Amino acid sequence: MGTSSNFGNMASAAGASLFLSFLPMLPSQILLNNLLYDSSQLAIPTDNVDEDQLRKPSHWDIAFIRRFMISFGPLSSVFDFVTFGVMLWVFHSGPAQFRSGWFVESLATQTLVIFAIRTRRIPFFRSHPSLALTLAALGVVTIGAVLPATPLAHTLGFQPLPGAFFATLVGMILAYLALIEIGKRLFYGAAVAAPPVPRHYAGRRHLRRRAGRFSTAAPRPTPLDGPP
C-alpha cells in the first residue's frame, strides 16, 4: 500500500508540475500528508486477517510488490488529476485552495483505500477490519478534512474549501473504491492464471552447497573402535 500510494502521489505531482505555474503541494504539506497517512497505518498490526490468507505461509515477493505498485499506483493518479480539473475549472481555485483540495483528496483516497486493499475478497466489505484500524483511518481522514478550516490553515498554507467540494469528494471516493475492486479482480485473476516463475540462482550454486551443510542434518560419523 505504501509503495503504490507514494508512486501514485509522486506521479501526480510530477504530472501537475508540467502545466501548473505553482507547486501543486508545498513540501511541508507533503510531509504532513505522509505523517497523517503513516499514523493511520500504525493500527495495521491489530487488523483481522482473512482466513484464506492464513492457510499457508507467506513470504516477501519483490516482483509481486512491484506489479502491485505499477497496477494500483496509477489508479490513484487518475483521481488526483480529476481533482486538479475540479479545483481549476469548477472552483477556479488559487494556489492555496488548490493545494488544500488536493491535500484532502489525496489523504482521503490513500487512507480509505486500505479497506479495499487489505483483503482479496470482492466486494471488500465482506471482510471486516479491526476496530482500531477503522477508527485510525476515519480519524485521519477527518483531521485532514477539517485542517483547512482551522486556525492552523494559514500557517500550513491551506485555505477553506467550499461545501460543494466535499460532495464531489464523496463521489470520487466511491468511484475510486469501485475502480480498485475492478483492479483487484483483474490483478489477482491474472496472478492465479499465470504459472509460477521458477527462481534461478545461476552463479550461486556454490553458496547453496555451502549453506546446505548448515541447513541439512548430516549423518553422524561412526566412532572408531578402540580407546579415545
Side-chain angles (χ1 to χ4, degrees), residues 204-217:
R204 299 185 180 180
R205 294 179 181 177
H206 65 288
L207 295 178
R208 286 192 293 168
R209 287 197 299 268
R210 296 185 63 181
R213 299 179 183 178
F214 302 95
S215 59
T216 304

Side-chain angles (χ1 to χ4, degrees), residues 158-178:
F158 292 135
Q159 184 176 326
L161 294 163
F165 168 81
F166 292 99
T168 305
L169 178 64
V170 171
M172 287 194 295
I173 291 174
L174 294 177
Y176 179 47
L177 293 177

Side-chain angles (χ1 to χ4, degrees), residues 8 22 29 61 71 74 79-81 84-85 91 120 124 136 142 166 178 194 199-200 222:
F22 53 86
Q29 294 169 343
D61 187 344
S71 300
F79 288 87
D80 286 340
F81 281 99
F84 297 161
F91 299 113
R120 298 188 180 189
F124 66 88
T142 302
F166 292 99
R199 297 186 175 184
H200 300 285
T222 304

Side-chain angles (χ1 to χ4, degrees), residues 35-54:
L35 176 62
L36 291 172
Y37 171 72
D38 292 343
S39 299
S40 70
Q41 307 308 292
L42 292 176
I44 286 180
T46 70
D47 193 25
N48 305 316
V49 183
D50 295 337
E51 181 63 29
D52 52 353
Q53 293 184 257
L54 298 175

